[in-house]
mmCIF file of all heavy atoms in Angstrom:
data_model
loop_
_atom_site.group_PDB
_atom_site.id
_atom_site.type_symbol
_atom_site.label_atom_id
_atom_site.label_comp_id
_atom_site.label_asym_id
_atom_site.label_seq_id
_atom_site.Cartn_x
_atom_site.Cartn_y
_atom_site.Cartn_z
ATOM 1 N N ALA A 22 -6.460 5.736 -6.681
ATOM 2 C CA ALA A 22 -5.757 4.462 -6.865
ATOM 3 C C ALA A 22 -6.357 3.374 -5.974
ATOM 4 O O ALA A 22 -6.530 2.223 -6.391
ATOM 5 C CB ALA A 22 -4.260 4.636 -6.555
ATOM 6 N N LEU A 23 -6.728 3.750 -4.750
ATOM 7 C CA LEU A 23 -7.356 2.784 -3.827
ATOM 8 C C LEU A 23 -8.729 2.380 -4.359
ATOM 9 O O LEU A 23 -9.095 1.200 -4.303
ATOM 10 C CB LEU A 23 -7.482 3.415 -2.437
ATOM 11 C CG LEU A 23 -8.164 2.546 -1.371
ATOM 12 C CD1 LEU A 23 -7.397 1.228 -1.172
ATOM 13 C CD2 LEU A 23 -8.283 3.298 -0.073
ATOM 14 N N PHE A 24 -9.440 3.346 -4.898
ATOM 15 C CA PHE A 24 -10.767 3.060 -5.478
ATOM 16 C C PHE A 24 -10.639 2.034 -6.593
ATOM 17 O O PHE A 24 -11.384 1.045 -6.649
ATOM 18 C CB PHE A 24 -11.401 4.343 -6.008
ATOM 19 C CG PHE A 24 -12.684 4.116 -6.742
ATOM 20 C CD1 PHE A 24 -13.902 4.060 -6.071
ATOM 21 C CD2 PHE A 24 -12.691 3.960 -8.142
ATOM 22 C CE1 PHE A 24 -15.099 3.857 -6.741
ATOM 23 C CE2 PHE A 24 -13.879 3.731 -8.816
ATOM 24 C CZ PHE A 24 -15.083 3.693 -8.122
ATOM 25 N N ASN A 25 -9.703 2.252 -7.510
ATOM 26 C CA ASN A 25 -9.509 1.336 -8.660
ATOM 27 C C ASN A 25 -9.110 -0.055 -8.201
ATOM 28 O O ASN A 25 -9.563 -1.065 -8.781
ATOM 29 C CB ASN A 25 -8.442 1.910 -9.598
ATOM 30 C CG ASN A 25 -8.930 3.139 -10.353
ATOM 31 O OD1 ASN A 25 -10.123 3.261 -10.649
ATOM 32 N ND2 ASN A 25 -8.033 4.071 -10.637
ATOM 33 N N LEU A 26 -8.265 -0.122 -7.170
ATOM 34 C CA LEU A 26 -7.825 -1.423 -6.652
ATOM 35 C C LEU A 26 -9.018 -2.173 -6.007
ATOM 36 O O LEU A 26 -9.226 -3.354 -6.308
ATOM 37 C CB LEU A 26 -6.713 -1.234 -5.615
ATOM 38 C CG LEU A 26 -6.186 -2.511 -4.961
ATOM 39 C CD1 LEU A 26 -5.544 -3.426 -6.021
ATOM 40 C CD2 LEU A 26 -5.149 -2.172 -3.885
ATOM 41 N N LEU A 27 -9.796 -1.497 -5.183
ATOM 42 C CA LEU A 27 -10.931 -2.140 -4.518
ATOM 43 C C LEU A 27 -11.990 -2.550 -5.526
ATOM 44 O O LEU A 27 -12.653 -3.562 -5.364
ATOM 45 C CB LEU A 27 -11.526 -1.193 -3.466
ATOM 46 C CG LEU A 27 -10.665 -0.943 -2.233
ATOM 47 C CD1 LEU A 27 -11.313 0.120 -1.353
ATOM 48 C CD2 LEU A 27 -10.469 -2.213 -1.429
ATOM 49 N N ASP A 28 -12.151 -1.743 -6.548
ATOM 50 C CA ASP A 28 -13.154 -2.043 -7.593
ATOM 51 C C ASP A 28 -12.848 -3.349 -8.303
ATOM 52 O O ASP A 28 -13.747 -4.098 -8.723
ATOM 53 C CB ASP A 28 -13.194 -0.870 -8.586
ATOM 54 C CG ASP A 28 -14.310 -1.028 -9.623
ATOM 55 O OD1 ASP A 28 -15.356 -1.619 -9.270
ATOM 56 O OD2 ASP A 28 -14.131 -0.570 -10.761
ATOM 57 N N LYS A 29 -11.541 -3.653 -8.451
ATOM 58 C CA LYS A 29 -11.132 -4.886 -9.162
ATOM 59 C C LYS A 29 -11.191 -6.126 -8.264
ATOM 60 O O LYS A 29 -11.238 -7.247 -8.741
ATOM 61 C CB LYS A 29 -9.707 -4.729 -9.685
ATOM 62 C CG LYS A 29 -9.590 -3.706 -10.819
ATOM 63 C CD LYS A 29 -8.133 -3.472 -11.209
ATOM 64 C CE LYS A 29 -8.018 -2.395 -12.276
ATOM 65 N NZ LYS A 29 -6.603 -2.082 -12.584
ATOM 66 N N MET A 30 -11.194 -5.936 -6.944
ATOM 67 C CA MET A 30 -11.202 -7.071 -6.015
ATOM 68 C C MET A 30 -12.561 -7.771 -5.972
ATOM 69 O O MET A 30 -13.591 -7.112 -6.066
ATOM 70 C CB MET A 30 -10.878 -6.593 -4.579
ATOM 71 C CG MET A 30 -9.438 -6.269 -4.327
ATOM 72 S SD MET A 30 -9.210 -5.841 -2.562
ATOM 73 C CE MET A 30 -7.477 -5.473 -2.539
ATOM 74 N N ASN A 31 -12.522 -9.081 -5.854
ATOM 75 C CA ASN A 31 -13.753 -9.842 -5.625
ATOM 76 C C ASN A 31 -14.074 -9.942 -4.137
ATOM 77 O O ASN A 31 -15.243 -9.972 -3.744
ATOM 78 C CB ASN A 31 -13.636 -11.248 -6.209
ATOM 79 C CG ASN A 31 -13.568 -11.216 -7.726
ATOM 80 O OD1 ASN A 31 -14.275 -10.442 -8.372
ATOM 81 N ND2 ASN A 31 -12.698 -12.034 -8.305
ATOM 82 N N ASP A 32 -13.028 -9.988 -3.314
ATOM 83 C CA ASP A 32 -13.164 -10.027 -1.853
ATOM 84 C C ASP A 32 -12.187 -9.010 -1.275
ATOM 85 O O ASP A 32 -11.112 -8.778 -1.826
ATOM 86 C CB ASP A 32 -12.848 -11.409 -1.296
ATOM 87 C CG ASP A 32 -13.807 -12.457 -1.816
ATOM 88 O OD1 ASP A 32 -15.008 -12.341 -1.544
ATOM 89 O OD2 ASP A 32 -13.341 -13.380 -2.524
ATOM 90 N N TYR A 33 -12.612 -8.425 -0.150
ATOM 91 C CA TYR A 33 -11.738 -7.431 0.484
ATOM 92 C C TYR A 33 -10.540 -8.114 1.137
ATOM 93 O O TYR A 33 -10.703 -8.992 1.981
ATOM 94 C CB TYR A 33 -12.527 -6.642 1.539
ATOM 95 C CG TYR A 33 -11.679 -5.572 2.203
ATOM 96 C CD1 TYR A 33 -11.498 -4.338 1.612
ATOM 97 C CD2 TYR A 33 -11.047 -5.840 3.426
ATOM 98 C CE1 TYR A 33 -10.716 -3.376 2.220
ATOM 99 C CE2 TYR A 33 -10.251 -4.873 4.032
ATOM 100 C CZ TYR A 33 -10.085 -3.643 3.425
ATOM 101 O OH TYR A 33 -9.308 -2.674 4.014
ATOM 102 N N LYS A 34 -9.320 -7.698 0.732
ATOM 103 C CA LYS A 34 -8.092 -8.258 1.291
ATOM 104 C C LYS A 34 -7.146 -7.105 1.588
ATOM 105 O O LYS A 34 -6.541 -6.523 0.677
ATOM 106 C CB LYS A 34 -7.455 -9.251 0.327
ATOM 107 C CG LYS A 34 -8.283 -10.516 0.107
ATOM 108 C CD LYS A 34 -7.642 -11.438 -0.903
ATOM 109 C CE LYS A 34 -8.508 -12.689 -1.129
ATOM 110 N NZ LYS A 34 -7.939 -13.553 -2.191
ATOM 111 N N GLU A 35 -7.010 -6.807 2.878
ATOM 112 C CA GLU A 35 -6.148 -5.694 3.298
ATOM 113 C C GLU A 35 -4.698 -5.948 2.903
ATOM 114 O O GLU A 35 -3.954 -5.011 2.566
ATOM 115 C CB GLU A 35 -6.279 -5.487 4.808
ATOM 116 C CG GLU A 35 -5.695 -4.191 5.287
ATOM 117 C CD GLU A 35 -6.046 -3.910 6.723
ATOM 118 O OE1 GLU A 35 -7.231 -3.623 6.987
ATOM 119 O OE2 GLU A 35 -5.146 -3.985 7.577
ATOM 120 N N SER A 36 -4.291 -7.211 2.904
ATOM 121 C CA SER A 36 -2.904 -7.545 2.578
ATOM 122 C C SER A 36 -2.553 -7.119 1.156
ATOM 123 O O SER A 36 -1.456 -6.641 0.887
ATOM 124 C CB SER A 36 -2.663 -9.040 2.734
ATOM 125 O OG SER A 36 -3.570 -9.784 1.931
ATOM 126 N N GLU A 37 -3.524 -7.258 0.236
ATOM 127 C CA GLU A 37 -3.293 -6.861 -1.166
ATOM 128 C C GLU A 37 -3.146 -5.350 -1.290
ATOM 129 O O GLU A 37 -2.369 -4.852 -2.118
ATOM 130 C CB GLU A 37 -4.442 -7.355 -2.051
ATOM 131 C CG GLU A 37 -4.390 -8.831 -2.375
ATOM 132 C CD GLU A 37 -5.387 -9.227 -3.473
ATOM 133 O OE1 GLU A 37 -5.756 -8.365 -4.272
ATOM 134 O OE2 GLU A 37 -5.774 -10.404 -3.473
ATOM 135 N N ILE A 38 -3.917 -4.595 -0.495
ATOM 136 C CA ILE A 38 -3.825 -3.131 -0.527
ATOM 137 C C ILE A 38 -2.439 -2.696 -0.082
ATOM 138 O O ILE A 38 -1.790 -1.873 -0.722
ATOM 139 C CB ILE A 38 -4.907 -2.506 0.397
ATOM 140 C CG1 ILE A 38 -6.299 -2.869 -0.099
ATOM 141 C CG2 ILE A 38 -4.735 -0.984 0.436
ATOM 142 C CD1 ILE A 38 -7.415 -2.458 0.819
ATOM 143 N N LEU A 39 -1.971 -3.268 1.019
ATOM 144 C CA LEU A 39 -0.658 -2.914 1.551
ATOM 145 C C LEU A 39 0.473 -3.343 0.607
ATOM 146 O O LEU A 39 1.468 -2.649 0.427
ATOM 147 C CB LEU A 39 -0.463 -3.534 2.930
ATOM 148 C CG LEU A 39 -1.471 -3.060 4.013
ATOM 149 C CD1 LEU A 39 -1.266 -3.850 5.293
ATOM 150 C CD2 LEU A 39 -1.336 -1.572 4.245
ATOM 151 N N LYS A 40 0.275 -4.513 -0.022
ATOM 152 C CA LYS A 40 1.266 -5.023 -0.958
ATOM 153 C C LYS A 40 1.390 -4.138 -2.200
ATOM 154 O O LYS A 40 2.446 -4.029 -2.814
ATOM 155 C CB LYS A 40 0.862 -6.437 -1.376
ATOM 156 C CG LYS A 40 1.920 -7.180 -2.176
ATOM 157 C CD LYS A 40 1.448 -8.592 -2.483
ATOM 158 C CE LYS A 40 2.463 -9.343 -3.348
ATOM 159 N NZ LYS A 40 1.993 -10.714 -3.689
ATOM 160 N N SER A 41 0.272 -3.461 -2.560
ATOM 161 C CA SER A 41 0.262 -2.613 -3.788
ATOM 162 C C SER A 41 1.135 -1.377 -3.632
ATOM 163 O O SER A 41 1.551 -0.782 -4.617
ATOM 164 C CB SER A 41 -1.167 -2.158 -4.091
ATOM 165 O OG SER A 41 -1.607 -1.226 -3.116
ATOM 166 N N GLY A 42 1.440 -0.976 -2.384
ATOM 167 C CA GLY A 42 2.279 0.192 -2.163
ATOM 168 C C GLY A 42 1.547 1.515 -2.251
ATOM 169 O O GLY A 42 2.160 2.581 -2.184
ATOM 170 N N ILE A 43 0.247 1.482 -2.415
ATOM 171 C CA ILE A 43 -0.544 2.712 -2.502
ATOM 172 C C ILE A 43 -0.470 3.506 -1.205
ATOM 173 O O ILE A 43 -0.357 4.725 -1.195
ATOM 174 C CB ILE A 43 -2.031 2.394 -2.821
ATOM 175 C CG1 ILE A 43 -2.153 1.796 -4.226
ATOM 176 C CG2 ILE A 43 -2.881 3.640 -2.707
ATOM 177 C CD1 ILE A 43 -3.542 1.278 -4.545
ATOM 178 N N VAL A 44 -0.504 2.785 -0.087
ATOM 179 C CA VAL A 44 -0.587 3.449 1.199
ATOM 180 C C VAL A 44 0.069 2.571 2.274
ATOM 181 O O VAL A 44 0.087 1.348 2.152
ATOM 182 C CB VAL A 44 -2.073 3.733 1.571
ATOM 183 C CG1 VAL A 44 -2.851 2.434 1.690
ATOM 184 C CG2 VAL A 44 -2.180 4.577 2.831
ATOM 185 N N LYS A 45 0.600 3.216 3.306
ATOM 186 C CA LYS A 45 1.166 2.482 4.434
ATOM 187 C C LYS A 45 0.037 2.097 5.397
ATOM 188 O O LYS A 45 -1.006 2.733 5.428
ATOM 189 C CB LYS A 45 2.197 3.341 5.162
ATOM 190 C CG LYS A 45 3.436 3.637 4.310
ATOM 191 C CD LYS A 45 4.398 4.518 5.065
ATOM 192 C CE LYS A 45 5.625 4.835 4.197
ATOM 193 N NZ LYS A 45 6.570 5.722 4.922
ATOM 194 N N LYS A 46 0.304 1.080 6.188
ATOM 195 C CA LYS A 46 -0.718 0.538 7.089
ATOM 196 C C LYS A 46 -1.292 1.605 8.013
ATOM 197 O O LYS A 46 -2.507 1.673 8.213
ATOM 198 C CB LYS A 46 -0.134 -0.620 7.895
ATOM 199 C CG LYS A 46 -1.174 -1.338 8.765
ATOM 200 C CD LYS A 46 -0.592 -2.547 9.450
ATOM 201 C CE LYS A 46 -1.601 -3.249 10.316
ATOM 202 N NZ LYS A 46 -2.700 -3.837 9.573
#
């Protein structure tokens, strides 16, 4: 799930990863 999310991003944004609920900080 993290791979798919990062693949769609144009720029790395840690806030978007945390907001997605995939993983805790």
Side-chain angles (χ1 to χ4, degrees):
L23 179 59
F24 174 86
N25 289 328
L26 179 62
L27 291 174
D28 186 32
K29 291 174 184 175
M30 284 185 182
N31 292 320
D32 298 298
Y33 181 83
K34 293 178 182 176
E35 193 169 290
S36 57
E37 283 191 25
I38 298 172
L39 298 175
K40 189 178 178 181
S41 70
I43 293 172
V44 62
K45 294 179 181 178
K46 186 175 179 65

